[in-house]
Amino acid sequence: MPLAPVLLLLCTVILVNGWTDAPNAITTPVSTGVLAFPAAAALAAVCNLLGVVCVTAVSDAVARTLWAIADFGPYALTALTAALSATVLWAVAAWRFGIPTSESHALVAGLSGGALALGPGCLRTGPLLWVGFGLVFSLLLGWALGRLFVRLLPPQGRSFYRHGQILGAALTAFLHGAQDGQKFLGVLALILTLEGNKFSLPGWSPWGCAALMAIGTLVGGRRIVETVGEKMVRLTPRSGFAAELGCAAALSICTLLGLPVSTTHAKTAAILGSGASPDGRVASSLGAAWLLTFPVCGALSFGLVKLLFMW
């Protein structure tokens, strides 16, 4: 399998991640009318870029965790092609229906399915369990912190809450870049260290990843904003600000622990925790999509590896 198509696929996944994960940061200020959609997407793009570059310069723990999930051996390019293709297919399908699924979740599933297609021994269960713990932990933590902050915040201060959402959106986008950017750098390390077992990344890689993610973010993801911020729950400036604080706190804790988590899951959970009377039908459909992400993407990647070997 040539190297160029795999790198192109990785670039595509990073662009799609910026495109579909923009709502993580901008759902609350857009749905409460604090920011217009184009301005919110531009803010998220800049902060995504800064998050990738700044946090990676300090710690690459999240990237190392993802890099350690599988040992593909001489078939790394084939397995990575399958994993990245499965991630793109799932992300675009979810965006089409306005469902905020997690590319982080899909990427881990794709890597796992690709490794299993090569043999169970290629999958390293320790790092995989750590990632699985992070995905569940971020959901529970985001929901709990969103609920905590909405109870602590006084009902007065509507103007403060409205403008505070802008700062919250910027911080969430920064932390999204810190989290998801490192996951893709972990995949890049898998591609670039095929001949050895030592984690290594070139100095330009955080900037390249950040730029691609920022470009993708500018596309927006309006369908997902409408699903989470308008159909699933009606946000007020106070509950929106509580959701921003809850998501930012959850992502900060997980990033400090080196846990690769889903920013989509953390933000949506924080919104559910802070929002009153969520639409049960919409929330249950999101939950079903999240539960399906791992088996569907894993199976897609597994099947693609087998097809590539046949071809």
Side-chain angles (χ1 to χ4, degrees):
M1 177 68 66
L3 182 61
V6 185
L7 290 172
L8 182 61
L9 265 173
L10 178 59
C11 291
T12 303
V13 171
I14 296 171
L15 280 167
V16 170
N17 176 267
W19 165 27
T20 59
D21 275 19
N24 294 331
I26 65 177
T27 292
T28 50
V30 171
S31 60
T32 56
V34 175
L35 284 176
F37 189 85
L43 174 68
V46 172
C47 293
N48 259 323
L49 187 149
L50 292 174
V52 178
V53 174
C54 295
V55 175
T56 305
V58 177
S59 171
D60 58 8
V62 173
R64 288 178 180 273
T65 299
L66 203 79
W67 171 77
I69 283 178
D71 179 10
F72 297 120
Y75 306 109
L77 292 181
T78 300
L80 288 170
T81 298
L84 294 170
S85 298
T87 303
V88 170
L89 290 171
W90 181 252
V92 173
W95 167 84
R96 174 63 182 81
F97 294 100
I99 300 172
T101 58
S102 165
E103 275 74 59
S104 305
H105 197 179
L107 182 61
V108 172
L111 292 172
S112 302
L116 287 174
L118 298 176
C122 295
L123 189 63
R124 294 170 176 159
T125 54
L128 181 62
L129 289 174
W130 185 238
V131 172
F133 168 74
L135 291 171
V136 175
F137 180 64
S138 65
L139 267 175
L140 298 176
L141 188 62
W143 182 86
L145 290 173
R147 179 165 288 266
L148 174 66
F149 281 119
V150 82
R151 290 183 174 181
L152 292 177
L153 293 172
Q156 301 81 15
R158 180 181 176 86
S159 178
F160 170 77
Y161 295 145
R162 285 177 64 85
H163 291 92
Q165 287 179 61
I166 299 175
L167 178 61
L171 181 58
T172 301
F174 180 90
L175 291 166
H176 168 262
Q179 268 285 333
D180 285 29
Q182 283 207 44
K183 297 184 188 87
F184 300 124
L185 291 175
V187 175
L188 180 62
L190 277 170
I191 296 171
L192 298 179
T193 56
L194 297 178
E195 302 301 324
N197 294 318
K198 185 178 180 181
F199 180 90
S200 177
L201 282 171
W204 56 263
S205 57
W207 288 96
C209 177
L212 285 169
M213 188 176 288
I215 293 169
T217 301
L218 286 172
V219 178
R222 193 162 202 140
R223 290 175 185 265
I224 296 172
V225 170
E226 292 171 354
T227 297
V228 177
E230 298 174 19
K231 296 178 182 178
M232 183 175 70
V233 65
R234 295 292 178 180
L235 291 169
T236 64
R238 177 167 166 264
S239 62
F241 186 56
E244 295 288 1
L245 292 177
C247 177
L251 290 178
S252 298
I253 291 168
C254 293
T255 302
L256 289 173
L257 292 173
L259 279 169
V261 301
S262 165
T263 50
T264 303
H265 288 184
K267 185 59 177 283
T268 307
I271 289 173
L272 281 171
S274 65
S277 303
D279 186 307
R281 185 177 59 84
V282 177
S284 62
S285 68
L286 296 182
W290 290 351
L291 290 173
L292 287 171
T293 296
F294 203 95
V296 170
C297 287
L300 269 174
S301 181
F302 185 97
L304 285 170
V305 168
K306 297 298 186 183
L307 284 174
L308 286 170
F309 274 121
M310 290 173 61
W311 177 65

